[in-house]
Amino acid sequence: MRLLFELDTKDYDINGVGFVRHSARCIHIKNGQVAMVHSTQYDYYKFPGGGIEQNESKEKAMIRETQEETGMIVVAESIREYGYVHRIQKSDHDDADYFVQDNYYFLCDVEETIMPQKLDDYEADEKFTLEYVTPDKAICVNRNVHHGQTDQTMLERDARVLELLKAEGYFN
C-alpha cells in the first residue's frame, strides 16, 4: 500500500516508551460527497474506522469499525487499497512517551441498508453520527472550528486525505 504522507509532530522523546496502534478507515464516496463520522458534540469529521485488533486483517478491522461507528455495511468484494498515513506524536497515555499509528485507508462500496450503530462510550459521548458531506465542508470544519480536547493532528490527517482524494479526481 502506498504511503500518502507522514505526520510527525516531533514533540516527544524518541528514546522513551512508544505505544503503537494501527487503524483502518473507510472511504465511501456517493454523489460527490463522502461518508464521514461527525462528532456533533465537538463538531469535527473523521473517516469511519478505528483500531486493528490482534490477529485481525486491515480489511476486517475497517469493515467492523465502519459498521460499529456508522451502521454502514461494507461490500467486501468492493474494497480497494487507497493508501496509508504514518503518524507519530507525543502520547496522551500515561505509560508511553510517544504514539505511532499507521492509518490504512480503503475505498469501498456499502449496502443500501444502514444498521444501528454500536458505539463505544466515548463515541456515544462525542455523539458520533453518519453524515455525507462535501470534502470542502469537512476540511473547513476540521481546520477552522474549535473542537475542545480533540486531537487536532487526527483532524488534520483526515483533512489532508480529503485534499488528496479531491486532487486525484475522486469527487468529479
Side-chain angles (χ1 to χ4, degrees):
M1 187 176 288
R2 72 179 172 144
L3 174 65
L4 300 172
F5 55 88
E6 293 186 29
L7 281 173
D8 187 342
T9 59
K10 301 187 186 314
D11 61 350
Y12 51 88
D13 178 5
I14 194 66
N15 297 312
V17 176
F19 175 73
V20 178
R21 177 116 199 250
H22 301 307
S23 73
R25 307 203 172 276
C26 165
I27 302 170
H28 175 64
I29 299 169
K30 180 179 174 181
N31 301 324
Q33 296 185 318
V34 61
M36 301 290 284
V37 171
H38 183 204
S39 167
T40 58
Q41 177 68 26
Y42 297 108
D43 196 17
Y44 68 80
Y45 290 95
K46 74 174 206 73
F47 285 97
I52 301 170
E53 302 295 336
Q54 189 173 4
N55 299 319
E56 185 177 42
S57 72
K58 293 183 268 309
E59 294 84 355
K60 292 281 186 194
M62 184 270 297
I63 291 169
R64 176 183 53 76
E65 285 281 350
T66 298
Q67 185 167 351
E68 288 173 1
E69 290 184 352
T70 67
M72 293 189 308
I73 302 168
V74 172
V75 177
E77 300 77 28
S78 73
I79 297 172
R80 302 167 313 283
E81 291 182 357
Y82 180 66
Y84 76 98
V85 175
H86 180 73
R87 182 174 78 159
I88 183 168
Q89 66 188 83
K90 184 176 181 175
S91 177
D92 61 2
H93 292 268
D94 292 335
D95 56 350
D97 298 299
Y98 62 94
F99 174 67
V100 178
Q101 186 173 60
D102 287 338
N103 303 270
Y104 299 97
Y105 290 82
F106 296 91
L107 295 155
C108 60
D109 296 327
V110 299
E111 294 182 9
E112 292 286 325
T113 302
I114 303 293
M115 303 297 293
Q117 293 170 288
K118 296 177 186 170
L119 300 177
D120 294 337
D121 289 342
Y122 91 90
E123 295 167 337
D125 290 345
E126 293 200 10
K127 299 180 181 164
F128 279 9
T129 59
L130 169 63
E131 190 173 317
Y132 281 86
V133 296
T134 64
D136 290 336
K137 178 179 179 180
I139 292 166
C140 182
V141 167
N142 280 7
R143 289 185 173 156
N144 298 305
V145 173
H146 178 68
H147 309 288
Q149 300 286 333
T150 305
D151 179 7
Q152 190 60 41
T153 306
M154 174 191 74
L155 304 181
E156 180 60 23
R157 175 199 69 204
D158 283 356
R160 288 182 60 185
V161 170
L162 286 165
E163 287 177 331
L164 285 172
L165 289 161
K166 279 181 56 179
E168 293 172 356
Y170 283 93
F171 294 100
N172 296 339

